[in-house]
Amino acid sequence: MATDDLQLRDASAVLAKAADENFPVAPFFLPWAWRDDLMAVYGVVRLIDDIGDGDLAPGAGHARHLGLDADTDDPLPLLDAVEADLDKVFAGAEPGHPLVRALRPAAERGTLTAAPFLALIEANRQDQVITRYETYDDLVAYCALSANPIGRLVLAITGTETPERVRRSDAVCTGLQIVEHIQDVAEDLRRGRIYLPVEDMKRFHVSESDLALPTAGASVRALVAFEVERARGLLNEGTPLVGSVHGRLKLLLAGFVAGGRAATRAIVTAGYDVLPGPPKPTKPRLLRETGAVLRGEG
């Protein structure tokens, strides 16, 4: 297979994961220019997260695209290499990875800057050395690196950044990240990580061994319910962002908020038992939540 075909295959495998997200990545109703930029951003964000989580597909050529030995699977040098590739694209040079290369049009127009991507890389570096968060404030500070840059990138692409919109966007993104952490408690534990704050686990008398059980007991369910309410509060805090914009962007942002709301409802429907696997919202539920957000319903 030719090198270009291999690069296309590896990039496509990363981009295909967009269908599994809790929120719409680049829906059909958006202008083509926005969709292209959003998919380019998604590709790099997903690449960074897959590196940090050790989820790169076996046999893929990501290390080689980044100028490293093909057998390299250590996240830290891979993250360093992505950062170097981003430095190239934002300096007007040719990056090695096809997913980073896709950012070039937005970088050349000045639509995007490197800062949000560098924050995401820093979050994934942090994941290699920090596996527990003592307080809720510690977790929120981590989300400022791992989640909030996504919303800021969307506002940059759509040219709608204001200080108030950024603040609301940060609330939505942190809420979405906390919901994802709640859904993925069992998967994260298998990776050696726990994103439920230690102080909250102590408050609800939950041990790490409780999280390793096949199904949640009463204490774990109470803890999950508490964290779900926190996430819901953040989503509600950020919801006015939707009403501050118009047209197709309003529908996109409503989809983000609705994705988080639908995910929290799926957790509630599962009786707050997230240990057998992540509760996922149905498409009808997502559509109902989107309609509710657009109508301004709580």
Side-chain angles (χ1 to χ4, degrees):
M1 189 179 292
T3 299
D4 287 348
D5 291 339
L6 289 169
Q7 290 190 339
L8 218 60
R9 179 204 65 185
D10 296 337
S12 296
V14 172
L15 294 172
K17 297 181 181 182
D20 297 325
E21 301 291 352
N22 276 338
F23 51 86
V25 173
F28 70 92
F29 55 79
L30 295 178
W32 277 107
W34 287 5
R35 291 178 67 186
D36 287 347
D37 285 350
L38 287 168
M39 284 307 297
V41 164
Y42 177 78
V44 175
V45 170
R46 187 72 267 161
L47 174 66
I48 291 168
D49 283 349
D50 283 353
I51 289 172
D53 289 339
D55 279 345
L56 293 179
H62 297 291
R64 186 178 62 254
H65 301 328
L66 293 166
L68 299 176
D69 186 281
D71 296 328
T72 302
D73 59 4
D74 184 340
L76 290 174
L78 284 165
L79 291 169
D80 289 346
V82 174
E83 181 173 346
D85 232 23
L86 285 165
D87 287 343
K88 290 177 184 176
V89 80
F90 285 102
E94 181 74 5
H97 200 290
L99 290 170
V100 180
R101 201 176 305 135
L103 290 175
R104 189 165 53 187
E108 290 175 349
R109 292 195 308 270
T111 303
L112 301 177
T113 67
F117 299 102
L118 299 182
L120 293 165
I121 289 172
E122 190 56 37
N124 279 274
R125 288 189 179 119
Q126 190 167 305
D127 278 335
Q128 310 313 308
V129 294
I130 298 177
T131 58
R132 306 291 187 275
Y133 289 86
E134 186 63 34
T135 69
Y136 176 69
D137 287 344
D138 293 338
L139 181 62
V140 168
Y142 167 75
C143 292
L145 295 174
S146 66
N148 296 2
I150 306 301
R152 295 181 181 214
L153 286 163
V154 171
L155 294 177
I157 287 169
T158 58
T160 53
E161 291 173 288
T162 67
E164 178 65 8
R165 284 177 179 147
V166 167
R167 185 180 74 81
R168 299 288 188 182
S169 172
D170 286 351
V172 171
C173 290
T174 294
L176 287 170
Q177 180 76 89
I178 290 174
V179 171
E180 185 175 326
H181 288 325
I182 295 168
Q183 288 176 305
D184 293 341
V185 166
E187 180 182 342
D188 288 334
L189 186 62
R190 287 193 291 271
R191 300 181 193 275
R193 301 174 191 160
I194 297 176
Y195 292 101
L196 299 170
V198 172
E199 65 178 7
D200 295 346
M201 291 177 63
K202 290 177 180 176
R203 174 181 175 181
F204 286 91
H205 307 289
V206 171
S207 68
E208 294 191 10
S209 59
D210 292 329
L211 301 180
L213 296 173
T215 189
S219 295
V220 172
R221 291 173 192 250
L223 170 60
V224 169
F226 177 71
E227 304 300 351
V228 163
E229 285 308 306
R230 276 179 157 169
R232 185 177 284 144
L234 286 164
L235 292 170
N236 289 341
E237 180 185 343
T239 298
L241 172 66
V242 178
S244 76
V245 299
H246 304 282
R248 287 175 283 188
L249 177 58
K250 184 171 185 173
L251 187 56
L252 175 68
L253 297 183
F256 289 153
V257 176
R261 286 189 179 185
T264 62
R265 290 189 183 274
I267 295 168
V268 174
T269 300
Y272 300 104
D273 187 3
V274 296
L275 300 188
K280 294 289 187 180
T282 63
K283 287 186 177 179
R285 167 57 68 183
L286 182 57
L287 290 172
R288 286 196 295 274
E289 292 292 343
T290 301
V293 173
L294 288 169
R295 292 190 298 272
E297 298 174 4

